[in-house]
Amino acid sequence: MCDDNRILCEALGVALERHGHEILAAVTSTRRGIAAVAAHHPDVCLLDLRFPDPPDGLMAAHIIRAFYPGTAVLVLSGMIDPAVRSTVEEIGVSGFLRKDHNVGQLVSALDVIAAGGVVFDPLLSRLTPAGGPRCANSAHYLTRREKEVLQRIVAGQSTVQMSRGMNISTSTVRSYVKDMLAKLGVHTRLEAAFRATSENLLADQRIQPLL
């Protein structure tokens, strides 16, 4: 963990450890953060962007991704500048969340990243169109079948399981998934599941059980 607010680091560290995560180091400068990554080779580095002394968080993220590719970077910042999101995506970070997310949402993001996915704050995604503008209520534009596919993804179903449960071909499932991802403005099923749960997009839907 790398944030110039030591109190935040300590409080968040305790909360994450309660959820089963191990905090290898908590530092308040990017220089110490980079050194900690070099020493411990963590799975993920939680990194803020604003620091009183150089290098800033963006440069630190670039250094970590360039020299320690085995460590994913999850930016946790109060900044919501859409240009910053574009920059961190180019650097290759695995996620960007605002600091006002609760611990449960942060834990969910870490789970997505651990599974090889990426997580970007929905607000930032709406501010920065990726593949077209995205509406805050974009779930309303999903067809009945696309909503069902999203429900089944949240429930952990594979393409084959969805095919059997919906009585359609796997190619048709993939087509529904592709259209659903485009409408939600995300790139992966994990991102779609994270957005569905974090924004409560399926509040009026019943998750389909595994068949």
Side-chain angles (χ1 to χ4, degrees):
M1 300 180 60
C2 186
D3 192 297
D4 67 338
N5 187 330
R6 180 172 293 280
I7 295 176
L8 173 65
C9 274
E10 293 176 351
L12 188 55
V14 170
L16 289 176
E17 287 186 330
R18 287 175 180 169
H19 283 82
H21 291 280
E22 181 182 4
I23 308 302
L24 299 176
V27 298
T28 57
S29 74
T30 50
R31 292 183 182 277
R32 291 178 179 174
I34 295 168
V37 170
H40 300 287
H41 300 284
D43 296 318
V44 181
C45 174
L46 287 178
L47 177 67
D48 193 5
L49 294 180
R50 290 177 174 169
F51 290 87
D53 300 314
D56 62 13
L58 287 175
M59 179 57 69
H62 177 75
I63 292 172
I64 292 170
R65 294 303 302 143
F67 293 95
Y68 310 100
T71 296
V73 175
L74 173 56
V75 173
L76 192 63
S77 177
M79 298 176 64
I80 58 171
D81 185 348
V84 174
R85 176 205 160 121
S86 178
T87 301
V88 296
E89 280 190 298
E90 292 176 0
I91 290 172
V93 306
S94 295
F96 190 160
L97 294 179
R98 290 172 292 125
K99 283 186 174 180
D100 58 0
H101 282 286
N102 60 43
V103 174
Q105 291 169 318
L106 179 55
V107 170
S108 295
L110 290 173
D111 290 340
V112 170
I113 292 172
V118 294
V119 179
F120 283 86
D121 194 291
L123 174 60
L124 290 165
S125 297
R126 289 195 293 271
L127 290 173
T128 307
R134 185 167 105 181
C135 174
N137 296 317
S138 54
H140 296 315
Y141 295 97
L142 298 180
T143 67
R144 179 180 63 83
R145 282 301 216 182
E146 289 165 355
K147 283 185 177 181
E148 183 176 354
V149 163
L150 180 57
Q151 292 167 0
R152 290 176 179 273
I153 287 174
V154 171
Q157 294 190 7
S158 66
T159 297
V160 172
Q161 288 173 317
M162 286 190 280
S163 172
R164 292 172 179 169
M166 299 170 70
N167 196 28
I168 56 178
S169 68
T170 55
S171 61
T172 301
V173 170
R174 293 189 182 98
S175 179
Y176 283 138
V177 170
K178 180 180 178 181
D179 292 342
M180 178 270 297
L181 294 179
K183 289 180 180 180
L184 291 183
V186 297
H187 303 289
T188 68
R189 298 185 188 197
L190 287 169
E191 281 186 286
F194 179 78
R195 187 174 179 212
T197 54
S198 65
E199 297 184 33
N200 208 23
L201 296 182
L202 298 174
D204 59 343
Q205 304 292 323
R206 179 173 296 175
I207 301 299
Q208 297 289 337
L210 291 170
L211 300 176

